[in-house]
């Protein structure tokens, strides 16, 4: 079973393809604003390099945010188009979830910085498959599990997320995950 995971939520285009537990492809290109211009070409060339066609993918996955408003929409629309075209399953996973899956920790709080000293945090306990909802925090907020806080690092290997068996607990809908409207109403800050 060939599984694809794509991340277009930031400056990097990340693409990983696995066949069961074997990694077939792992790319990480810093493209900045040019992801939309290069996404289809990179997917096509990458698949040719491993002698696959886009129709050979059995499950499509995409990072649904948080991150660049435009980047998230480009990734979701492109990968959804493939999944619908070939009548294959399509899932979304948050960037925090994907990052947490790459870490060698059973319990942690991942914090993703947004803007103006605001961040979004999520608690993970992989031993008990216990995961919190997303929580908006100020940069000076104290988390209940403050000794287990891990600040998101953009230099991570997306393929580790795809190969982690715990990913099945974190995959879900592909609705974009934006926090801008929510935190502008809930937390007072100056724009």
């Amino acid at each position: 079973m060939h599984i694809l995971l794509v991340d277009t939520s930031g400056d990097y285009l990340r693409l990983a393809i696995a066949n069961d537990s074997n990694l077939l492809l792992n790319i990480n290109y810093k493209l900045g604003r040019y992801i939309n211009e290069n996404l289809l070409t990179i997917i096509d060339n990458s698949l040719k390099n491993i002698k696959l066609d886009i129709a050979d993918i059995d499950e499509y996955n995409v990072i649904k945010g948080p991150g660049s408003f435009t980047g998230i929409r480009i990734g979701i629309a492109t990968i959804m188009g493939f999944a619908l075209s070939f009548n294959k399953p399509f899932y979304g996973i948050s960037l925090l979830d994907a990052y947490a899956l790459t870490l060698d920790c059973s319990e942690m709080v991942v914090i993703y910085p947004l803007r103006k000293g605001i961040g979004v945090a999520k608690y993970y306990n992989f031993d008990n498959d216990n995961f919190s909802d997303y929580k908006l925090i100020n940069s000076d907020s104290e988390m209940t599990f403050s000794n287990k806080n891990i600040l998101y690092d953009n230099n991570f290997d997306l393929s580790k997320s795809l190969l982690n068996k715990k990913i099945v607990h974190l995959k879900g809908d592909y609705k974009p995950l934006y926090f801008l409207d929510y935190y502008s109403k809930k937390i007072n800050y100056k724009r």
Side-chain angles (χ1 to χ4, degrees), residues 31-142:
L31 296 175
R33 301 173 186 236
Y34 303 102
I35 287 176
N36 61 331
E37 296 172 18
N38 295 290
L39 179 59
L40 293 174
T41 302
I42 289 173
I43 289 172
D44 186 49
N45 289 339
S46 298
L47 288 167
K48 285 178 184 173
N49 285 340
I50 58 172
K51 296 178 180 32
L52 284 179
D53 187 74
I54 194 67
D56 296 330
I57 302 297
D58 299 302
E59 179 183 295
Y60 295 85
N61 297 276
V62 67
I63 299 295
K64 63 181 185 175
S68 161
F69 179 82
T70 303
I72 293 166
R73 294 166 62 105
I74 289 167
I76 290 173
T78 303
I79 303 308
M80 182 191 311
F82 290 137
L84 292 174
S85 295
F86 302 112
N87 197 26
K88 303 283 178 77
F90 175 56
Y91 301 101
I93 182 170
S94 82
L95 188 58
L96 280 79
D97 294 347
Y99 182 64
L101 288 166
T102 68
L103 302 173
D104 191 24
C105 298
S106 60
E107 184 180 27
M108 73 196 95
V109 174
V110 174
I111 300 170
Y112 180 86
L114 296 169
R115 287 192 227 161
K116 309 275 186 183
I118 308 273
V120 62
K122 185 173 178 180
Y123 168 74
Y124 299 86
N125 184 325
F126 287 106
D127 289 340
N128 299 324
D129 294 329
N130 181 16
F131 314 111
S132 73
D133 288 331
Y134 299 96
K135 179 180 179 182
L136 290 169
I137 61 170
N138 289 313
S139 59
D140 57 352
S141 293
E142 289 294 318

Side-chain angles (χ1 to χ4, degrees), residues 14 29 34 79-80 94 134 147 157-158 165 172:
R14 293 183 176 98
Y29 291 121
Y34 303 102
I79 303 308
M80 182 191 311
S94 82
Y134 299 96
N147 62 334
D157 184 352
L158 188 67
K165 300 293 184 199

Side-chain angles (χ1 to χ4, degrees), residues 3-36:
I3 302 171
L4 169 81
L5 177 58
V6 174
D7 177 16
T8 59
S9 66
D11 288 340
Y12 289 86
L13 167 60
R14 293 183 176 98
L15 173 69
I17 299 175
N19 184 359
D20 299 317
S21 61
N22 299 318
L23 183 64
L24 301 177
L25 176 75
N26 185 31
I27 64 167
N28 188 16
Y29 291 121
K30 185 169 185 174
L31 296 175
R33 301 173 186 236
Y34 303 102
I35 287 176
N36 61 331

